[in-house]
Amino acid sequence: DRWSDVADALSSKLHEAERESRADRANSDVYAAMIKSGFGAVEVSRESDPFKYPYRVKYIHRRELFWDWRSTEPDWSDARYVVRKKWYDADFLVQWFPKHAELIKAATRHADWTQFFLNGNVANADLMNHFDQGVRTTLDDIEWRDTENRRAACFEVWYRVFVRGVVLPWPGGRVLEFNPKDPQHRAIVASGMVQPKVKVFSKLRMALFIGAIRVMDVATNKRHFPYIPFWGYREDLTGVPYGLIRAMMAPQDEVNARNAKMMWLLTAKGTIIDSDA
């Protein structure tokens, strides 16, 4: 029947998305990280490269993610922020942020970029302002710029803000935020089909930083972070994640100590001399 055809079509598209985005490989990698170290994450987002599949599912190493440690929900639904730090080549960042091209080039080319500006290489007031932010920050240079390899670290900050606004509760449980600029929303409210309500809810924003310099801060229509955490074990008091490797560290230390002692006994030479020798 018609609904069976719709289900088959949706299943086909789902299998295509899983295959083309390599979701199975991402799940395999994050499962390994979850078992070994206790934590891993998967990114689910739209692909920016127009020549690739529209969606991407990638495993994210734990060294790239920083999150709100006050969060207790396993899906980070109550976390105030999630930060991802990733290193990029300077020419890549220049293409993404052309307005900050001079700053990126200066930060990744000159070890002492203070002298670069003192020599009169100031393109505009904004560039000087960003440079001042970079000088006043407590973030060490080694944490975000590499002049030897011409690279810089980009910090992707997803943070949650709480607002008071009008929502439209639709029949069936769906809720939409009222947009006064949308003529359909205004028409629906005027017709009395739904009763608008004032509620407090959270919204996600995304900011991009190159070091201490904010290059972007935009609102999003997302309800959840694009990073999905996978947990192994977590300490009850601190919430620190850990995996099966932690339990094997003490036995391994014992084996290492025994091997070291055995090798010392095999290589040590002792001499016994009597008093009347």
Side-chain angles (χ1 to χ4, degrees), residues 106-164:
T108 57
R109 182 182 296 125
H110 302 276
D112 183 9
W113 64 330
T114 304
Q115 191 63 37
F116 172 80
F117 283 89
L118 293 179
N119 292 337
N121 298 307
V122 181
N124 51 54
D126 290 338
L127 184 61
M128 192 63 188
N129 181 45
H130 291 321
F131 160 72
D132 185 57
Q133 295 179 25
V135 172
R136 289 186 290 107
T137 181
T138 57
L139 185 67
D140 292 336
D141 284 359
I142 195 175
E143 293 289 337
W144 71 275
R145 67 191 192 102
D146 181 3
T147 57
E148 182 176 354
N149 298 307
R150 298 292 307 281
R151 303 172 72 226
C154 185
F155 296 84
E156 182 185 64
V157 182
W158 293 84
Y159 62 100
R160 194 184 306 274
V161 295
F162 288 89
V163 298
R164 179 184 294 273

Side-chain angles (χ1 to χ4, degrees), residues 214-235:
R214 185 176 62 182
V215 297
M216 181 184 297
D217 191 348
V218 296
T220 71
N221 57 1
K222 295 181 179 295
R223 305 299 305 170
H224 303 281
F225 297 113
Y227 302 107
I228 303 172
F230 287 73
W231 307 96
Y233 303 100
R234 302 183 71 178
E235 294 181 356

Side-chain angles (χ1 to χ4, degrees), residues 12-65:
S12 177
K13 294 296 293 183
L14 178 60
H15 288 305
E16 175 189 334
E18 291 179 344
R19 182 180 66 255
E20 296 295 334
S21 64
R22 300 180 183 179
D24 292 339
R25 179 53 191 260
N27 289 336
S28 177
D29 291 341
V30 76
Y31 177 76
M34 178 181 70
I35 293 299
K36 295 175 185 177
S37 62
F39 174 78
V42 168
E43 177 195 16
V44 181
S45 61
R46 294 184 181 272
E47 177 60 60
S48 58
D49 191 333
F51 295 100
K52 295 182 179 180
Y53 194 72
Y55 307 100
R56 65 173 179 234
V57 181
K58 289 187 176 182
Y59 160 67
I60 307 299
H61 196 274
R62 60 186 179 276
R63 66 170 174 266
E64 296 184 8
L65 287 176

Side-chain angles (χ1 to χ4, degrees), residues 41 98 114 123 141 206 210 212 238:
T114 304
D141 284 359
M206 191 272 289
I210 300 178
T238 63

